[in-house]
Amino acid sequence: VSSSLRLLSVGLGPIGLAAAELALAKRSVALVGAVDVDPGKQGLDLAVLLGRPGAVGIEVEGELAAAIERHRPDAALLCTSSFLPDVHESLLLLAAAGVDVVTPCEEMLVPDFQHPDLAAAIDRVALAGGATVVGTGVNPGFVLDLLPIVASGACRVVRRVLGRRVVDAATRREPLQRKVGAGLEPAEFEARVRGGRMGHQGMRESVALIDRALGFGLDSITQSVHPVLAERELSTRFLEVRRGQVAGVHNVGTGRRGGETVVELDLQMYVGAVNPRDEIELEGDPTLKWTLEGGVPGDIATAAILVNTLARVAEATPGLKTILDLPPARRVG
Amino acid sequence: VSSSLRLLSVGLGPIGLAAAELALAKRSVALVGAVDVDPGKQGLDLAVLLGRPGAVGIEVEGELAAAIERHRPDAALLCTSSFLPDVHESLLLLAAAGVDVVTPCEEMLVPDFQHPDLAAAIDRVALAGGATVVGTGVNPGFVLDLLPIVASGACRVVRRVLGRRVVDAATRREPLQRKVGAGLEPAEFEARVRGGRMGHQGMRESVALIDRALGFGLDSITQSVHPVLAERELSTRFLEVRRGQVAGVHNVGTGRRGGETVVELDLQMYVGAVNPRDEIELEGDPTLKWTLEGGVPGDIATAAILVNTLARVAEATPGLKTILDLPPARRVG
């Protein structure tokens, strides 16, 4: 369809593939190309990676610049890393070419929180190139931050934001089970935490987005990472956890002002979690408190938010944005 | 404060006064004038109507045009009627003078749904005057429509939107208890329904906003109004309801496509309602379902949304908008 948005899919891990799959189903989007750094994926038809029969007619490429030149996309989904320094070069290439970018890179939710210089550079290039760049996702980007921010619109006063997300990792894909540390010995988990390789990315960005939206003026934004230990033997389709081993991770993102905790976001992702759910409480006037049964399923919903955000980005003025700058993404056909 | 937004409050009923009270507490807003058609209010200091001791230094005026001329406001809250034809002249006056308008007028949530010609005229005048005009509120505007629309951003597919709001009218102000029919005989209630003077305004607008946001392409949008009858004697601070009399109202807004119900919004507001709450279910992929305990309190939250939306309108391009066109309102200081 000539009026649909020409989309380039960059990064074909689980999230990138789920988003590409969804993009193929949308009338409003025409997937025109796919890029991944993995030589094992290059040259394959995208259908192979999607586990679809037949071909979709899109061959995975390795060179982003060449793909931009060849396909002249309107927008790209950039699903390559959780860390801004890792996506920075690709972002600049895309933005300089006038290609809008939507990315689940966790640090891109509030890009200038950890990387003000890189963020400023991206903004300059995006403005010059006429591209809009935004980071989004489910967590961070939706459950523990955007929803309470939107709900705060109904509040005269918000004194505190409390969020709790409980995910049963047994229902999730294997990489996520490994990522939360399921099956590790506690000592190994702690070693990985010290190495900065454990815990959910983006907890601090969620707190920072809330701070920015609600003007709390937080003094400090921190996160803690602890293991959840198995109290009994657990097993999933992919792995076994013995009693006393790690079942998963407990992350808390905290925002403080004047010694008081103003934002506390509590994330538990572990095998065997009971009563999975998303709970939010805005303490204020009025106090608003809700529970989302079962919780928003992360992978499906992240793919959906990425694709649904494309329409918002297409309408927006150029530059590096946050989701606070855009009308809310909604399900598009 | 010179950098704060100069606000004119137009319509000093319960909602207008609650919003004015809140505006007085915000650093980002400077309330500069207040207008009401009621001669009994004109000439009074706003403090009298707010039930505050002392004076706030704002004398209630009767003539909107003169107030615009005198105060040169940046924005106005227009809280005079639920019906677009009733607010139309005031809207044009404000928009022509370049004054942004936020209004809880229920029909203004989707102005061209019932009044396409009036909406087009407002848009033309707003564009020419450089003003942004938008309708918002809690119901319609938030609980049963904006929140599910925002949540749909996390869905690959949405097949159906179901909402239920249960309000215990006993906890609300007297005009609301009277409006829902508490204490009426069933025959009188039905007569008022036939006269179009009963039931919550804006149910169809909520359905229409969802339809527009999610592209359902509904064939029909209807609402029903029925009484909830008291099964036992009830009393509130303001009135008595005998067994068999009307305790309140049950409104259902329904959107159908091809004979199928795609949107159903169920609102029950009655004295003695058990388990007041707001429940939403998006049937789709994923299905998302949440319950907001106690429900969003209507009056407080409407005032909050009106004032919190001012910042969004100040940033927006001119014209007649819906809340779908703006970044979400969030609590502002």
Side-chain angles (χ1 to χ4, degrees):
Chain A
V1 184
S2 61
S3 68
S4 57
L5 186 144
R6 295 174 59 81
L7 180 67
L8 184 66
S9 193
V10 184
L12 302 172
I15 295 292
L17 285 174
E21 176 90 62
L22 182 58
L24 287 169
K26 298 281 180 191
R27 288 187 309 277
S28 58
V29 175
L31 189 64
V32 296
V35 177
D36 197 281
V37 293
D38 180 354
K41 295 177 181 172
Q42 293 162 16
L44 298 176
D45 188 278
L46 187 58
V48 177
L49 300 180
L50 294 174
R52 284 184 174 205
V56 299
I58 294 170
E59 186 178 300
V60 178
E61 301 168 64
E63 288 297 328
L64 178 58
I68 294 169
E69 182 68 29
R70 183 175 303 119
H71 302 297
R72 297 279 162 198
D74 301 307
L77 295 179
L78 181 61
C79 309
T80 52
S81 167
S82 298
F83 305 104
L84 203 161
D86 294 346
V87 301
H88 173 240
E89 278 186 40
S90 300
L91 269 175
L92 291 182
L93 268 180
L94 289 159
V99 180
D100 293 336
V101 182
V102 177
T103 177
C105 167
E106 284 86 343
E107 291 186 349
M108 280 290 292
L109 189 76
V110 187
D112 58 355
F113 172 62
Q114 294 200 58
H115 305 286
D117 294 345
L118 293 180
I122 295 167
D123 189 44
R124 277 193 303 273
V125 171
L127 284 168
T132 308
V133 176
V134 72
T136 187
V138 162
N139 181 25
F142 186 75
V143 171
L144 295 177
D145 39 35
L146 183 65
L147 288 183
I149 289 166
V150 169
S152 80
C155 295
R156 295 196 290 202
V157 174
V158 179
R159 281 183 290 273
R160 195 192 300 253
V161 178
L162 305 173
R164 178 185 303 269
R165 176 165 163 84
V166 179
V167 177
D168 181 4
T171 64
R172 301 285 297 269
R173 57 194 163 83
E174 181 174 2
L176 186 120
Q177 295 183 17
R178 302 282 177 200
K179 200 176 87 172
V180 302
L184 293 181
E185 295 298 331
E188 171 62 14
F189 183 98
E190 297 294 353
R192 292 196 189 182
V193 170
R194 285 191 300 275
R197 290 174 295 129
M198 186 53 67
H200 182 74
Q201 294 304 321
M203 294 299 286
R204 284 177 298 173
E205 278 73 14
S206 286
V207 178
L209 193 76
I210 291 170
D211 186 32
R212 192 157 300 192
L214 302 188
F216 281 140
L218 298 177
D219 306 324
S220 76
I221 295 178
T222 57
Q223 73 158 333
S224 66
V225 186
H226 295 288
V228 178
L229 301 184
E231 296 177 357
R232 57 183 178 82
E233 198 161 317
L234 300 165
S235 70
T236 75
R237 283 171 55 205
F238 308 113
L239 50 79
E240 306 285 325
V241 183
R242 290 197 308 277
R243 187 161 174 276
Q245 283 187 327
V246 175
V249 69
H250 184 185
N251 266 64
V252 181
T254 304
R256 289 192 186 81
R257 185 187 53 203
E260 191 190 2
T261 295
V262 178
V263 182
E264 186 170 282
L265 306 180
D266 184 298
L267 172 64
Q268 299 173 41
M269 302 178 83
Y270 62 98
V271 171
V274 177
N275 188 18
R277 66 198 182 278
D278 299 329
E279 282 178 356
I280 300 287
E281 180 169 357
L282 298 183
E283 277 185 25
D285 176 22
T287 288
L288 299 179
K289 187 172 177 182
W290 67 90
T291 302
L292 199 146
E293 289 175 25
V296 178
D299 295 348
I300 297 177
T302 297
I305 283 182
L306 291 171
V307 174
N308 289 334
T309 299
L310 292 169
R312 295 289 80 73
V313 164
E315 299 160 353
T317 56
L320 176 59
K321 309 285 184 180
T322 76
I323 49 176
L324 300 180
D325 301 317
L326 306 177
R330 47 194 187 259
R331 195 263 168 183
V332 294
Chain B
V1 183
S2 62
S3 68
S4 57
L5 185 143
R6 295 173 59 81
L7 179 67
L8 184 66
S9 193
V10 183
L12 301 173
I15 296 293
L17 285 174
E21 176 89 61
L22 182 58
L24 286 169
K26 297 282 181 190
R27 285 187 309 276
S28 58
V29 176
L31 189 65
V32 296
V35 177
D36 198 282
V37 293
D38 180 354
K41 295 177 180 172
Q42 294 162 16
L44 297 177
D45 189 279
L46 188 58
V48 177
L49 299 180
L50 294 174
R52 284 184 173 205
V56 298
I58 293 170
E59 185 178 303
V60 178
E61 301 169 63
E63 288 297 326
L64 178 57
I68 295 170
E69 181 68 29
R70 182 174 303 121
H71 302 296
R72 298 277 161 199
D74 300 308
L77 297 178
L78 180 60
C79 308
T80 52
S81 167
S82 298
F83 305 103
L84 203 162
D86 294 346
V87 302
H88 173 241
E89 277 185 40
S90 300
L91 270 174
L92 292 182
L93 266 179
L94 289 159
V99 181
D100 293 337
V101 181
V102 177
T103 176
C105 168
E106 285 87 342
E107 291 186 350
M108 280 290 292
L109 190 77
V110 189
D112 57 355
F113 173 61
Q114 295 200 57
H115 304 285
D117 294 345
L118 292 180
I122 295 167
D123 189 43
R124 276 195 303 274
V125 170
L127 285 168
T132 307
V133 176
V134 71
T136 187
V138 163
N139 180 26
F142 186 75
V143 172
L144 295 176
D145 38 37
L146 183 66
L147 288 182
I149 288 166
V150 169
S152 80
C155 294
R156 296 196 290 204
V157 175
V158 179
R159 281 184 291 274
R160 196 193 298 253
V161 178
L162 304 173
R164 179 185 302 269
R165 176 164 165 85
V166 180
V167 177
D168 181 5
T171 63
R172 301 285 296 271
R173 57 192 163 86
E174 181 174 1
L176 186 121
Q177 295 184 17
R178 302 283 176 196
K179 198 176 90 173
V180 302
L184 294 181
E185 295 299 329
E188 171 64 12
F189 183 98
E190 297 295 353
R192 292 194 189 182
V193 170
R194 286 191 300 275
R197 289 174 297 132
M198 185 55 67
H200 183 74
Q201 294 303 321
M203 294 300 287
R204 286 177 297 174
E205 278 74 13
S206 285
V207 178
L209 193 78
I210 291 170
D211 186 32
R212 191 158 299 192
L214 302 187
F216 280 140
L218 299 178
D219 306 324
S220 75
I221 295 178
T222 56
Q223 72 158 335
S224 66
V225 186
H226 294 288
V228 177
L229 302 185
E231 295 176 358
R232 56 181 178 84
E233 197 162 318
L234 300 165
S235 70
T236 76
R237 279 172 61 205
F238 306 114
L239 50 78
E240 305 286 323
V241 183
R242 291 197 308 276
R243 187 161 174 274
Q245 284 188 328
V246 175
V249 68
H250 184 186
N251 267 65
V252 181
T254 304
R256 289 192 185 81
R257 185 187 54 205
E260 192 190 0
T261 296
V262 178
V263 182
E264 186 169 282
L265 306 180
D266 184 299
L267 173 64
Q268 299 172 39
M269 300 177 85
Y270 61 98
V271 172
V274 177
N275 189 17
R277 64 197 184 279
D278 299 329
E279 283 178 359
I280 299 288
E281 181 169 357
L282 297 182
E283 275 185 27
D285 178 22
T287 288
L288 300 179
K289 186 173 177 181
W290 68 89
T291 302
L292 199 147
E293 290 175 24
V296 178
D299 295 348
I300 296 177
T302 297
I305 284 182
L306 291 172
V307 174
N308 289 334
T309 299
L310 292 169
R312 299 287 81 73
V313 163
E315 298 160 355
T317 56
L320 176 59
K321 309 285 183 180
T322 75
I323 50 176
L324 300 179
D325 301 316
L326 306 177
R330 47 194 187 261
R331 195 263 169 184
V332 294

